Amino acid sequence: MNEQLPATAYLTAVARAEATLDPACDLVDEYAARFAELCPPSVRAITAHTGGLSVVAARTTTIDAMLTRALERRAPGVFVNLGAGFDARPYRLDPGAWPPGCRVVEVDVASILDVKDRLLPPAEAAVPIERVRCDLRFLGDLDRALRPRTEGERLLLLAEGLLTYLPEPQLAGLARTLAGFGASASWICDALSTDSARVLTRASRGAGSKLTMYGLTDVRAFEENGWRCEDISLLPTARVQRSAGPGVGATSQLPDCVLSLRR
């Protein structure tokens, strides 16, 4: 996963930068271009035949809307962005969206956060930011990093573009670890169908990358580890089934989507 996380961080920046230049797109991220310029050509080539950039942009706007609603309804004391990459939400969202006293904790590998510190200094954000260097494969390290920062707090967690790189046992372990943080918690995250994961993995191989994506058929990895699904928003690639909708059950076939979870 060390190799994968930097790649997805750059791909997401490219998608947001291109969407910002497209007048037909609702996404405006004036910071993304700073990071997109650094994206290696071999990584950029992954989405050449998948339409992946437009999907990432749509995912970002979907999460923006869900996040804004959650900030208003839940008024969290701490917002934790897992695998934060080059996400600029503390800079580009309306400053009034952040509840008084809310602070942001961004978690990612050092190679990403070191670049981010240089191109997007924490002092310029609309809300206090702390950046925590942690490899999310090592759940003991994550527990030690986040537990003292979240003790007794109302949490809002975000994992965008992260869970698709985790095999289901690792995803279940992450869900179980996160369920132990804070006094209460909400979690916004995206998921791929197994079909989409296969397509994107083949595309990455064709581009010479080692990226592997993992899809989900259901939400058991969350529900069996302390979380319940409150809402599901379909992404453009989803094949909508009549049975899909809010509160999708553990036996439903999961489409490409963004999930809102509570514990």
Side-chain angles (χ1 to χ4, degrees):
M1 197 164 70
N2 273 337
E3 294 178 359
Q4 295 178 355
L5 282 174
T8 193
Y10 284 110
L11 286 173
T12 301
V14 169
R16 291 171 176 166
E18 292 191 2
T20 298
L21 297 175
D22 184 353
C25 184
D26 293 332
L27 177 63
V28 177
D29 185 345
E30 63 190 66
Y31 304 96
R34 303 183 188 184
F35 304 101
E37 292 175 355
L38 303 178
C39 182
S42 60
V43 173
R44 192 184 290 260
I46 293 171
T47 57
H49 304 293
T50 65
L53 296 184
S54 61
V55 173
V56 170
R59 182 185 73 193
T60 298
T61 55
T62 298
I63 290 177
D64 281 354
M66 294 177 74
L67 176 60
T68 300
R69 291 195 300 269
L71 288 170
E72 181 178 1
R73 290 199 307 260
R74 314 293 188 202
V78 181
F79 169 60
V80 179
N81 193 343
L82 298 160
F86 302 132
D87 185 22
R89 287 186 174 95
Y91 302 80
R92 65 177 180 80
L93 291 185
D94 183 343
W98 301 96
C102 181
R103 53 192 172 88
V104 173
V105 176
E106 297 184 339
V107 184
D108 214 324
V109 293
S111 60
I112 288 296
L113 295 184
D114 290 348
V115 174
K116 194 171 187 179
D117 275 347
R118 178 166 54 87
L119 298 183
L120 206 59
E124 297 178 4
V127 63
I129 298 178
E130 181 181 10
R131 291 180 176 148
V132 176
R133 274 78 172 161
C134 183
D135 189 327
L136 293 164
R137 292 177 303 173
F138 303 117
L139 297 179
D141 292 347
L142 181 65
D143 185 271
R144 285 187 288 274
L146 287 187
R147 188 168 298 278
R149 293 174 167 89
T150 60
E151 193 71 34
E153 295 281 3
R154 183 185 293 114
L155 304 183
L156 176 57
L157 303 163
L158 173 63
E160 180 180 3
L162 170 66
L163 304 188
T164 53
Y165 298 101
L166 302 180
E168 193 158 341
Q170 287 189 17
L171 171 56
L174 177 63
R176 187 164 52 251
T177 298
L178 296 178
F181 295 144
S184 64
S186 302
W187 185 10
I188 297 171
C189 56
D190 61 290
L192 284 180
S193 68
T194 54
D195 286 345
S196 291
R198 282 193 291 269
V199 169
L200 289 170
T201 297
R202 284 198 300 268
S204 72
R205 296 291 186 270
S209 169
K210 296 181 181 180
L211 282 174
T212 300
M213 309 254 184
Y214 298 90
L216 291 175
T217 58
D218 52 54
V219 294
R220 282 180 292 182
F222 304 105
E223 292 183 339
E224 292 177 356
N225 291 286
W227 299 91
R228 67 180 187 277
C229 182
E230 284 195 320
D231 195 9
I232 177 171
S233 294
L234 300 179
L235 293 173
T237 48
R239 295 179 178 179
V240 181
Q241 298 179 355
R242 290 181 183 273
S243 60
V248 62
T251 59
S252 299
Q253 291 298 307
L254 199 67
D256 297 353
C257 62
V258 178
L259 300 168
S260 177
L261 308 164
R262 286 286 307 278
R263 71 153 177 80

